[in-house]
Amino acid sequence: MEDGTSRSPGNCADTGAVDGEFDVLNWDAREDCEVRQILDRIADKWSLLAIALLDRRPLRFTELRRAIDGISQRMLARTLRHLERDGLVSRTVHPTVPPRVDYELTTLGATLHETIKSLVVWTEDHQREIAEARTAYDRRIAQEQEQAAREAAERDAIARAVLTGER
Amino acid sequence: MEDGTSRSPGNCADTGAVDGEFDVLNWDAREDCEVRQILDRIADKWSLLAIALLDRRPLRFTELRRAIDGISQRMLARTLRHLERDGLVSRTVHPTVPPRVDYELTTLGATLHETIKSLVVWTEDHQREIAEARTAYDRRIAQEQEQAAREAAERDAIARAVLTGER
DNA sequence: CAGTATCCATAAAGATACTG
DNA sequence: CAGTATCTTTATGGATACTG
């Protein structure tokens, strides 16, 4: 069996009313902070997709597996157990033959989905901008490398010329 | 040098106006979908924190390193390059001695921060609920295991009794 | 069907050392 | 200071076998 988050409890949001300016660099500073742990969990690649998909209707294990392209059986099981443990997803076993297990968002999970959705919507809205930024960046890097190569070649040529002259 | 996202372009949001019900399981189904790739990037553990921290003011490399507890130099450099490539963060080199490099959110990055913030706020708001859910889950699992152990012991006892009787 | 358990190959993250 | 290069460790994914 694999373990989940069994490290130190480490709650860090108990700083009370401190200086607002310094709080900035402190709000989720410590790694063992509970908020950081939760964020790591829900901002996870697979968790995000699972929650997004479960919003519409309950889904079975295999339905999720098919819907989330690229996830392994192991990772899906793991992700679902984590989400269940955090109270975001409920697992319902129907005592039928063959067995049927439905996963669905809890009330808590549904509230999370709202913010997740805004993230997805943002991504869709700015997809093109990001693609353009990437293209521009890659082009710039390529140009810089070419430039560096040219300069290196030039230095080489000068060095060779000097050596030839000295000879 | 490490490469970034250089796989197939794979845009999948071009399905136009299809059946809304089926679109659900298709909206980010394919792994090489551009939206999926962007989500994986921005929903990343470190990216999230970097963007959250950069919202307040520009920060230097080392400031970020100190502010994001637990991040390695390598991962910070990597994360920042990714964010820069995606046009979310700008990198400004000041030609001073010692060198000074400022990172700050771009306009695009600032819009993303809005949704990231809602995620962080959600986490803070529901931190306690999640903690309770975890405790309840862990307790339930422990009880189930105890129960299973008891049943196994009982079966053992019965089996032994039968064997004794047969003997 | 819905998993868990295990072994293995690979990829990502971490630690460390070194450079402009 | 702001990184890159390199090596090590850990996490993840794939395949397979096995339960209830």
Side-chain angles (χ1 to χ4, degrees), chain A residues 27-28 33-44, chain B residues 43-45 48-49 52 116 119-124 134:
Chain A
W27 68 270
D28 54 6
C33 165
E34 201 175 274
V35 173
R36 274 274 299 266
Q37 288 183 20
I38 297 173
L39 272 177
D40 288 357
R41 179 65 47 80
I42 64 183
D44 169 72
Chain B
D44 168 72
K45 174 182 182 171
L48 216 65
L49 291 171
I116 298 235
L119 197 65
V120 175
V121 168
W122 184 93
T123 305
E124 287 170 345
R134 286 181 178 178

Side-chain angles (χ1 to χ4, degrees), chain A residues 71-124:
Chain A
I71 197 169
S72 65
Q73 196 177 24
R74 187 172 168 279
M75 280 297 112
L76 179 57
R78 203 173 129 83
T79 301
L80 288 173
R81 265 184 287 116
H82 285 330
L83 293 176
E84 189 194 357
R85 179 167 182 260
D86 288 353
L88 299 167
V89 160
S90 70
R91 179 173 176 277
T92 313
V93 181
H94 301 283
T96 57
V97 177
R100 176 193 178 92
V101 179
D102 278 326
Y103 291 93
E104 72 182 306
L105 289 187
T106 60
T107 313
L108 183 61
T111 67
L112 174 56
H113 177 265
E114 287 307 306
T115 84
I116 298 236
K117 190 165 65 184
S118 76
L119 198 65
V120 175
V121 168
W122 184 92
T123 304
E124 286 170 345

Side-chain angles (χ1 to χ4, degrees), chain A residues 14-85:
Chain A
D14 52 1
T15 42
V18 288
D19 178 19
E21 199 59 52
F22 198 70
D23 191 34
V24 177
L25 297 175
N26 242 24
W27 68 270
D28 54 6
R30 272 159 293 181
E31 192 171 18
D32 58 347
C33 165
E34 201 175 274
V35 173
R36 274 274 299 266
Q37 288 183 20
I38 297 173
L39 272 177
D40 288 357
R41 179 65 47 80
I42 64 183
D44 169 72
K45 176 180 180 170
W46 302 126
S47 301
L48 214 67
L49 291 170
I51 292 169
L53 286 166
L54 285 175
D55 176 58
R56 318 291 185 122
R57 60 180 179 87
L59 292 172
R60 305 172 61 174
F61 187 88
T62 310
E63 286 179 314
L64 275 165
R65 183 146 163 53
R66 272 194 293 264
I68 305 176
D69 182 50
I71 197 169
S72 65
Q73 196 177 24
R74 187 172 168 279
M75 280 297 112
L76 179 57
R78 203 173 129 83
T79 301
L80 288 173
R81 265 184 287 116
H82 285 330
L83 293 176
E84 189 194 357
R85 179 167 182 260

Side-chain angles (χ1 to χ4, degrees), chain B residues 5-25:
Chain B
T5 330
S6 50
R7 294 187 297 185
S8 61
N11 52 342
C12 72
D14 52 1
T15 41
V18 288
D19 179 18
E21 201 57 53
F22 197 71
D23 191 34
V24 177
L25 297 175

